[in-house]
Every structure is written in structure tokens, then in C-alpha cells.
Amino acid sequence: MTVPKPHLVSALAAAFACVFCAGRAFCAGQPGTTSVYMLKNDIGGRAIAMGGAMTALSDDIFGMRYNPAGIAVLDIPQFSAMTSGGVMDTGMNLAGAVLPITAFGIERPGEAGISVISSSNGGMDWYSTDIAGNAAVKGTPISAGGDTVVSLGYSERLKPSDLSFSIGKRKFRSVAERYMGAAVKLVHSRLPDTMGGSVSGNAYALDAGWLAHLTDWNMSVGFSLLNLGTNMTYISEANPLPSTLRAGAAYTYERSSEARMSGFTASLDISHYIKEQQAHLLAGLEVPFEKVVIFRVGYRFFDDTGGITFGGGIRHKRISCDIGLAFNELLGNAYQLSATYRLGDVAEAKPVRTEQKAKRGVMITLDKDEEFIEAGPNRKPEKPEKPKTFSESVQREHDRMERRVRERISAEGIDRRRKPDNVTPATEASEDFVENLSGTPQPASSPAKSKPPAKRPKPDSEDDLMVIH
């Protein structure tokens, strides 16, 4: 399916502009009018190190917090855990998993993700007061409350589509691998009351997201709408959840696989809090080294609690560990440690994209280590690499000649079983050449009978005999 004109790109640009301009000023708005601040926190060592710019990079259970469509990207079971701390005596923990669903799917089987996040607001001292309101007796320390969020999400990989548009005389074309997902949340929150106890409330929320990987351009774009749900009511007063609209884009630059630094990935997000009328700009960069160690850095713009972030990660076959550090002058420094175990190598999950390209005739996977490149409809074949040896150059020229002869035979409608009337000696020689190249055995033909020599005319006279001799 070809997208007519640059409609999708125009819609993408318009969406970014709307999100950017939704808040009249980035720092203006009504902060503090929503509840359950934990729903705004970054989740995962990778996410916090990249400044939270994860809408277009979501591919695990941590990414479900930013874009639930990303849990179907790798298509392999995953188990994850996370812990954080550093801001006074607060803390946050997560446990989650992503599992394939083979018995259900709109277009094809998808992936289900489940996570449980719990946060603690630390402790506080409780004082009883007298009639005048003065603190009279100091009680035992009590909990400052906390939040718990249980999320259940589903994501599915849709049929790939072709994206094409033109700028002037230059045309652009790519395969778009699309994902859609949603998640439901149960939010439970606790706060201390005036008697040294606690009050609690429950709320329900819905997340939805869309993600696309533009494989020919090494880009990805994503949109998500988060925390749409009921109000959080503790006693009688109801407070809304921090509904959020996010849009993001990411670009990956890939170098040779033999290089130590094989490239980088840069991402950019815009996050808009609908109720509070605030927007923030998030940026992140990660650079892999030796395909094992990854360095990351990020920055949160126009955010009072933001600033620079950095961290790193380690990838070893099925296990990955990440750490993220965030610096803030008001609240102090915070860290997050996360780990993921996958029941399958990430490299084994990547050919999913190659299979999608095969439907356009671009790439056909023959086996695990061999690939055959073929030109698809309305697409130029990929530029082959230069031959490294003389024998490889000869073999490539041999293949090119064979292909040209086959195309010529197909165009002229030559039948190998019957010699057409209009066949030329050059075409007949080309047909024999192709049969010899293909290696097909030729039917045994009877030896051609030699024609008898032409008889010389008999001389009528002696003069004629002299002329002949």
C-alpha cells in the first residue's frame, strides 16, 4: 500500500506543532493540580539516562510507560525488574514481564505486558496538637504514603505499508513497520491523615500508543496518550490524573559491524500535560561500544525538576543491565537500576523487519546466514558492493551476462522447444549460451547428415572444359 503524497509526513509535522504549541509557554500552566506524581516519573535505567525521550524507542516493559505499542517490537518473552532511590528516603520498584499471545490477535498474534510499580514517599514525624494548634506531643514516625500501579497492556504488529513522498524532484520511499497498543491501569494511592493514620483512593486509567519504524531511513516515530481515566478521590475531594500527550522521533546511525563504535541513536520527545497545560522538551543520545557497553546522555528542557541525565548499560546475549542518573538542585540526585532477561537473543528478533521487507520483494531470507537481494515493484535494486577479488569480478560479469540474455529471450518470446521463423543467428547463439550456463542437459540429437557435393555441369564443348579447369 502506497501512501499518496506526503500526507503521513504532514500529519506528523502538524502533530508535533500542535503538541509544541499546546502550552502557551513551556513553563506556564497550572502545576500541582493533578495527583499521583509517580505517573510522571521516568521508569527504567535506560529511560532516565536518556532524559525520558523514549516514545519512539519503546521496546520492553519499561517502554510501556511511554508508549504501550512498543512491547511487541522484539517479539520475544522478557522479564524485567527495577529499583530506584536517592531523593531523600523515597524509593520506587518495578517487576514486569512481556509474553507472546498466540491465541489472540486482530491481524496477527501480539504481545501482552504486565507490570507492578510501587513507590514510597518515605517517612515523617507525627505530632499531636493542643486546642490552640501548637505541637504538644511528638508521636512515632509514620509513613508518608505511597502509590501502586498495576498495568496490563497489549500490543500488536500491523501489516507493513509503503511510505512515499516527494520534495521537489526528489522522491523518498521506505517501508513502515507499524505497531499499535493499549494498556489499562489500576492506580492505588495512600496519604497520611491528621490522626497519624492514612487515607487511600483508587483510580483507573487507559493508555494508547502508535509506533512506526521506517526501516529504509533508520528512523522511528511514535505517539501516545497516557493516563486518561477517573479522578483520584481520597475522602471527598477528587483530583484528576496527569493526562499526558507525547510525540517522539528517533534516528539510528549505523556504521560497519567491525567498528568498535557501531553508530549512535538520537531521540527527541515532546511531552504535554493536558490538565496542567505544561509542555517539556526531552532529548537523549546513546552510543554503543563493542556492542556490549552503551553510554547514554540526556537533557530535560523547560522542566523545573529536569536537567542533565546520563548513564549506561551492558548487553550480553539475553541479559541487559542499565543504570541512569538524574541531577536536580531542588530535590537532589536520583538513580535507577534496571535489568531484563530475554528468552531469546535480541539479534534473533531483529529479522522480523527483514521478513517485512521481503513482502515488497526487497529482501528474501533463504536461511539464517544467507540472503538474496531482489528488486521489488517500482523499486530500484540495491547498489551492490564492489568486488574485492578478480575472480569475484569475473563471476559477477558472468551473472550479469546471463541475466541480460534471459531478459532478451523472455522479451522476444523465444521457445526453446521450437525454433521460430523470425529467429536470428545471434538469438539462436544466445539461447545456446543460456542453456549452457543453466547446466540443463541438452537432448541428444542425431548427427547432421552431410550434403553431397554439388555436381559440376558437364562441358558442352572443349572450350567450356578449359574454362572449368
Side-chain angles (χ1 to χ4, degrees):
M1 181 181 69
T2 303
V3 180
K5 302 296 183 181
H7 292 336
L8 183 58
V9 177
S10 300
L12 177 63
F16 267 95
C18 291
V19 174
F20 187 84
C21 299
R24 297 179 180 178
F26 274 93
C27 296
Q30 302 173 1
T33 57
T34 59
S35 58
V36 193
Y37 186 83
M38 187 189 69
L39 295 176
K40 297 181 179 181
N41 290 341
D42 290 322
I43 304 295
R46 182 190 184 197
I48 193 173
M50 296 192 67
M54 295 294 296
T55 306
L57 296 177
S58 172
D59 62 358
D60 55 14
I61 196 64
F62 303 111
M64 190 167 66
R65 181 265 184 252
Y66 304 92
N67 190 346
I71 59 179
V73 171
L74 293 185
D75 197 24
I76 52 178
Q78 308 173 50
F79 299 91
S80 304
M82 183 274 295
T83 184
S84 69
V87 180
M88 299 182 180
D89 55 350
T90 62
M92 185 166 53
N93 301 284
L94 175 144
V98 175
L99 300 173
I101 302 296
T102 58
F104 175 80
I106 301 175
E107 291 188 357
R108 64 187 68 188
E111 302 279 324
I114 182 172
S115 68
V116 178
I117 308 174
S118 64
S119 68
S120 173
N121 297 333
M124 59 183 298
D125 294 332
W126 175 74
Y127 290 85
S128 63
T129 60
D130 55 18
I131 299 177
N134 300 319
V137 179
K138 179 179 179 181
T140 59
I142 63 174
S143 172
D147 304 314
T148 302
V149 179
V150 180
S151 303
L152 179 62
Y154 176 80
S155 176
E156 188 173 310
R157 176 159 36 94
L158 306 178
K159 294 181 180 179
S161 62
D162 287 351
L163 170 65
S164 61
F165 65 96
S166 59
I167 301 177
K169 296 183 179 180
R170 188 172 182 181
K171 295 183 178 180
F172 300 88
R173 187 187 184 100
S174 177
V175 176
E177 296 175 7
R178 302 170 299 156
Y179 303 84
M180 291 193 69
V184 292
K185 296 177 179 178
L186 169 61
V187 184
H188 177 76
S189 180
R190 294 179 295 106
L191 291 177
D193 63 7
T194 57
M195 301 301 295
S198 64
V199 294
S200 62
N202 296 319
Y204 304 91
L206 173 68
D207 297 345
W210 178 86
L211 180 65
H213 290 162
L214 309 178
T215 56
D216 293 348
W217 304 334
N218 292 334
M219 291 185 61
S220 60
V221 293
F223 300 94
S224 62
L225 191 57
L226 311 174
N227 305 321
L228 293 178
T230 62
N231 294 334
M232 176 64 69
T233 303
Y234 295 100
I235 299 177
S236 60
E237 184 178 356
N239 297 301
L241 299 178
S243 301
T244 308
L245 176 64
R246 299 180 67 100
Y251 172 75
T252 300
Y253 171 71
E254 297 179 349
R255 297 178 59 190
S256 173
S257 58
E258 299 179 357
R260 288 189 173 184
M261 298 180 64
S262 56
F264 65 86
T265 297
S267 62
L268 185 68
D269 273 25
I270 296 177
S271 175
H272 174 64
Y273 298 122
I274 300 174
K275 299 291 185 180
E276 298 174 302
Q277 300 180 7
Q278 283 189 319
H280 307 295
L281 182 64
L282 317 172
L285 176 69
E286 65 178 1
V287 180
F289 184 77
E290 294 284 359
K291 298 182 179 180
V292 176
V293 180
I294 302 176
F295 300 98
R296 302 185 180 100
V297 64
Y299 198 90
R300 300 175 63 93
F301 297 90
F302 313 109
D303 190 349
D304 293 337
T305 61
I308 190 170
T309 62
F310 74 94
I314 297 177
R315 297 285 188 273
H316 181 67
K317 295 183 178 179
R318 302 183 179 184
I319 301 177
S320 62
C321 298
D322 300 291
I323 182 173
L325 302 171
F327 299 95
N328 185 270
E329 296 181 358
L330 299 177
L331 301 179
N333 304 330
Y335 71 89
Q336 286 193 15
L337 293 171
S338 59
T340 299
Y341 177 77
R342 299 178 175 88
L343 298 181
D345 294 339
V346 176
E348 296 176 359
K350 292 297 185 182
V352 170
R353 302 183 180 181
T354 302
E355 293 173 5
Q356 301 305 328
K357 284 188 176 184
K359 296 189 177 182
R360 294 180 59 229
V362 181
M363 186 172 293
I364 302 174
T365 302
L366 300 180
D367 53 39
K368 187 175 182 181
D369 300 322
E370 183 179 4
E371 290 179 345
F372 172 71
I373 298 177
E374 177 182 323
N378 302 324
R379 180 182 174 91
K380 295 181 180 181
E382 297 183 6
K383 187 177 180 180
E385 298 180 356
K386 294 182 179 180
K388 299 179 180 180
T389 60
F390 177 76
S391 59
E392 184 178 349
S393 177
V394 173
Q395 181 65 31
R396 183 171 297 183
E397 183 67 20
H398 178 277
D399 297 339
R400 187 182 65 84
M401 293 177 61
E402 178 183 359
R403 184 172 60 255
R404 292 185 62 181
V405 172
R406 287 183 183 277
E407 293 175 355
R408 182 177 180 183
I409 292 175
S410 176
E412 295 183 4
I414 299 175
D415 190 349
R416 297 182 181 181
R417 296 171 296 178
R418 181 178 61 84
K419 182 176 179 181
D421 298 335
N422 59 348
V423 67
T424 61
T427 306
E428 185 176 6
S430 301
E431 182 180 359
D432 297 337
F433 174 71
V434 172
E435 292 180 351
N436 293 335
L437 288 177
S438 60
T440 54
Q442 303 293 332
S445 58
S446 58
K449 296 182 180 180
S450 59
K451 297 181 180 180
K455 295 183 179 180
R456 296 178 180 178
K458 294 182 180 181
D460 295 335
S461 62
E462 189 173 328
D463 295 335
D464 295 337
L465 181 62
M466 292 177 62
V467 172
I468 294 173
H469 290 281

